[in-house]
């Protein structure tokens, strides 16, 4: 059993950036589990049934450069509420978390469902307004015409779907350490996370 770090949180809270930095710092493998759902969501936009897309998912599907679009994000959120889709992707995630050499997984149910025995659990969050502004700036830089109001509405709608779904709702694990990035720089958030992890590992 490897050393597993579970990082959960809502969209645009910074968990992806944090997870990559932590994986690099500790030389652990990293898995953005959201890409699994984005890849399934992207296939449903092409007419594939959600469960069929999940069952036939291959690693190459996560290399699709179009997985970061707002349309795919919304599709991912919709397929993520389907119990059969989640079940189809659980084994892949758990196997990754148990790999030798250490692993960092980020998503929405890592510490609560996928890796409940993870050595370290972090819940990364920020206010909906801060997260929407981050996403708006990211989309604007790519030429997306979405307004701030539209992006905020999308963020809140996705939060509601993620937190209110019956199967594996988004919530902090009971033993997760909360990191609120609303007023933190990227460097400060990374430093805070590393401090928590090192305290748990006794390093």
């Amino acid at each position: 059993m490897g050393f597993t770090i579970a990082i959960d949180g809502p969209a645009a809270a910074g968990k992806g950036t944090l997870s990559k930095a932590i994986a690099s710092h500790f030389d652990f493998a990293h898995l953005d589990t959201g890409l699994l759902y984005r890849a399934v969501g992207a296939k449903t936009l092409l007419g594939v049934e959600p469960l069929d897309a999940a069952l036939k998912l291959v690693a190459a599907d996560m290399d699709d450069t179009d997985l970061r679009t707002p349309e795919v994000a919304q599709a991912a959120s919709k397929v993520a509420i389907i119990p059969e889709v989640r079940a189809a992707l659980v084994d892949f995630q758990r196997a990754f978390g148990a790999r030798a050499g250490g692993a960092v997984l980020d998503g929405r149910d890592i510490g609560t469902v996928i890796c409940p025995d993870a050595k370290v659990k972090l819940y990364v969050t920020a206010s909906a307004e801060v997260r929407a502004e981050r996403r708006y700036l990211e989309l604007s830089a790519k030429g997306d015409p979405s307004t701030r109001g539209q992006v905020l509405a999308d963020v809140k709608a996705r939060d509601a779907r993620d937190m209110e779904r019956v199967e594996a709702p988004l919530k902090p694990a009971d033993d997760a350490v909360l990191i609120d990035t609303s007023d933190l720089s990227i460097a400060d958030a990374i430093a805070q996370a590393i401090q928590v992890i090192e305290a748990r590992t006794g390093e």
Side-chain angles (χ1 to χ4, degrees):
M1 184 70 177
F3 190 103
T4 308
I5 299 173
I7 303 180
D8 293 306
K15 65 182 180 294
T17 299
L18 208 58
S19 298
K20 291 174 186 175
I22 290 169
S24 177
H25 179 84
F26 291 99
D27 196 24
F28 286 179
H30 171 249
L31 176 65
D32 174 358
T33 64
L35 283 180
L36 298 174
Y37 292 95
R38 283 175 178 267
V40 172
K43 286 182 177 293
T44 66
L45 293 177
L46 298 175
V48 181
E49 288 298 317
L51 181 56
D52 193 40
L55 290 171
K56 295 180 180 178
L57 198 68
V58 295
D61 292 328
M62 290 180 282
D63 295 330
D64 188 340
T65 56
D66 293 329
L67 295 184
R68 296 293 183 183
T69 66
E71 294 78 15
V72 170
Q74 291 299 322
S77 184
K78 291 173 183 175
V79 300
I81 68 174
I82 303 173
E84 293 81 5
V85 169
R86 303 195 70 82
L89 299 177
V90 163
D91 289 345
F92 180 93
Q93 295 172 78
R94 285 182 174 160
F96 189 95
R99 66 194 295 153
V104 180
L105 289 82
D106 73 82
R108 285 170 173 72
D109 64 347
I110 308 305
T112 54
V113 176
I114 303 301
C115 300
D117 296 323
K119 297 291 186 182
V120 180
K121 300 174 188 176
L122 301 177
Y123 188 84
V124 183
T125 189
S127 71
E129 290 72 21
V130 167
R131 291 185 289 117
E133 180 65 13
R134 290 173 182 167
R135 183 55 53 85
Y136 169 76
L137 293 174
E138 177 186 329
L139 293 173
S140 293
K142 297 176 180 177
D144 189 284
S146 300
T147 66
R148 281 183 166 86
Q150 289 172 328
V151 176
L152 178 58
D154 285 346
V155 166
K156 289 182 175 179
R158 184 165 186 189
D159 284 352
R161 273 200 302 273
D162 291 342
M163 295 175 182
E164 295 168 9
R165 67 190 180 212
V166 175
E167 189 77 15
L170 169 63
K171 63 180 181 179
D174 292 338
D175 53 349
V177 175
L178 178 69
I179 297 180
D180 190 324
T181 66
S182 298
D183 299 312
L184 291 179
S185 67
I186 293 174
D188 286 343
I190 292 170
Q192 192 175 124
I194 289 174
Q195 185 177 35
V196 169
I197 295 165
E198 289 182 339
R200 293 288 178 91
T201 59
E203 295 179 0

